[in-house]
Amino acid sequence: MPYQSFDLHLQGAVAHLQFNRPEQLNVMTADFWAEFGQAVLELDQSGQVRALVISSTGKHFSAGMDLKIFQSPDPQLFQGEPGRRAEAMRRLVLQLQEVFNALEQVRMPVLTAIQGGCIGGALDLVCASDMRYCSADAFFTVKETELGMTADLGTLQRLPRLIADGMARELIYSGRKCYAEEALRLGLVNQVFADHGSLLEGVLALAEQIASHSPLAITGCKQMLNYGRDHSVADSLKMMATWQAGMFHPNDMLQGFAAKMQGKAASYEDLRPLAPEPFKR
C-alpha cells in the first residue's frame, strides 16, 4: 500500500523503508505515527522479510517529531479533571513508544542507515534498531533536552545500553551533537561510510548477507540477544536451552551443509506468516 511519510520497497527477502520528505527534513508527522509501526509489523506478519533497512533521503535522516504537533496540541491533553488527563497522557506516550518497540519485536534484524542529522525522535527510532550505520556527515542529538522536555520514546532507556552510561548521560543532559566519528568510537554506530551513496550500498549489501541465512536461526539470535540484554546471564542461558528444545531442528543446518558442499547458496524456507487478528473469524 502507498504511504505518505516513506516509501517501502521489497527486493527479495530484504525490505527497504525510506523516508521521503527531505524538504521537510523527514520530520515525524501524524501520518508517520499512523503508518510506521503498522508497516513494520505487516512486514513481519508476511514471514517473507528476513532483514529490514531503514534509510532516508535528502540532507538529514530525520529532524524528529514534527514541531507542529507541539505547537498545536490536542487541547484535551491539557484540560479537564487532572487524574483522567494524566491517565490519557500516559496512554498516549505508551502508544507512541509501541511504534518504535515494534523494531525490537519483529522477527527480522533492523538496520538503520543514517545521514546528516538524527535528531530527537529519530534517535529514539535508531536506538531501537539492531544495528546503526552512518555517513561521515551524520550527527546525533537528544534535542528534547534543549526544548525543555524529557525524551520519552526510548532514548533514555536504550542509549545507556548501547554506549557507556556516563557518555549517554552526557549526551542526554547536554543535548550536544555527537558526530559520526565520536559515535563510532562510542559504539553507537557500527561503521561510518564516506557518503550517503556508499552508506546505502554497504548497508543493503549487509542486509542481503543476513537474509541469505536461515531465518529461523536469525530470529532465534535476535530473540535471545534481546532477552539476554534484559535478564541475568543465568536466566538467559536457561531461556536459550528452552528455545533450542522447542525451535531447533536439523533441517536448515543439513540444508546449509549440503549447499556449502555443492558450492551454492542455500534456499531456506520462510518463516510462517503471522495472523494479524488470530481470533477473528
Side-chain angles (χ1 to χ4, degrees):
M1 62 174 292
Y3 298 99
Q4 298 299 313
S5 52
F6 51 82
D7 297 319
L8 184 58
H9 306 283
L10 296 176
Q11 183 172 348
V14 175
H16 184 189
L17 187 155
Q18 190 169 47
F19 302 144
N20 62 6
R21 303 175 71 249
E23 63 283 358
Q24 284 83 37
L25 304 182
N26 297 299
V27 293
M28 298 172 174
T29 63
D31 286 333
F32 170 87
W33 295 107
E35 296 174 342
F36 183 81
Q38 186 62 34
V40 171
L41 291 175
E42 286 176 357
L43 291 173
D44 190 35
Q45 288 165 358
S46 76
Q48 299 173 347
V49 177
R50 302 183 185 181
L52 169 61
V53 173
I54 299 174
S55 73
S56 191
T57 55
K59 184 177 180 180
H60 296 293
F61 178 77
S62 172
M65 182 77 79
D66 185 357
L67 291 182
K68 293 178 182 176
I69 295 176
F70 294 114
Q71 293 166 351
S72 303
D74 181 350
Q76 294 299 317
L77 290 176
F78 303 99
Q79 297 176 2
E81 192 273 322
R84 286 164 176 79
R85 185 181 69 226
E87 194 278 336
M89 173 63 82
R90 179 176 182 273
R91 288 292 173 183
L92 174 60
V93 174
L94 290 172
Q95 288 176 325
L96 295 177
Q97 288 174 350
E98 281 301 305
V99 172
F100 294 153
N101 290 347
L103 299 178
E104 292 184 332
Q105 295 163 359
V106 294
R107 294 176 288 177
M108 81 286 280
V110 179
L111 300 79
T112 43
I114 303 140
Q115 89 284 2
C118 181
I119 300 166
L123 184 56
D124 292 308
L125 185 158
V126 304
C127 283
S129 65
D130 290 88
M131 295 97 76
R132 290 149 297 280
Y133 304 84
C134 72
S135 55
D137 65 344
F139 64 88
F140 305 81
T141 179
V142 186
K143 192 68 172 179
E144 293 90 340
T145 307
E146 183 182 326
L147 296 177
M149 66 174 290
T150 301
D152 54 5
L153 300 185
T155 291
L156 304 190
Q157 292 69 37
R158 294 186 174 104
L159 187 61
R161 297 172 184 267
L162 299 174
I163 67 176
D165 182 79
M167 287 307 304
R169 289 172 184 263
E170 177 181 317
L171 295 176
I172 291 164
Y173 296 157
S174 69
R176 71 170 177 84
K177 293 178 181 178
C178 173
Y179 290 95
E181 288 303 322
E182 182 183 11
L184 179 64
R185 188 173 68 252
L186 294 177
L188 178 58
V189 299
N190 291 27
Q191 186 175 348
V192 176
F193 292 83
D195 53 41
H196 193 191
S198 60
L199 168 68
L200 285 178
E201 182 180 354
V203 174
L204 287 169
L206 178 58
E208 290 178 3
Q209 181 181 357
I210 292 170
S212 72
H213 298 315
S214 161
L216 187 60
I218 292 294
T219 196
C221 291
K222 177 165 181 171
Q223 298 297 321
M224 293 304 100
L225 286 166
N226 286 349
Y227 188 92
R229 177 197 62 191
D230 299 330
H231 297 78
S232 70
V233 172
D235 287 344
S236 300
L237 287 170
K238 291 175 183 176
M239 177 56 74
M240 184 73 252
T242 302
W243 177 274
Q244 291 293 65
M247 305 296 176
F248 176 72
H249 295 281
N251 305 34
D252 284 11
M253 184 178 290
L254 294 175
Q255 189 171 343
F257 286 154
K260 188 176 289 291
M261 292 178 64
Q262 297 170 20
K264 64 179 186 180
S267 178
Y268 297 106
E269 180 182 351
D270 288 335
L271 296 177
R272 296 283 180 89
L274 300 176
E277 298 179 274
F279 301 110
K280 183 176 180 180
R281 294 184 180 273

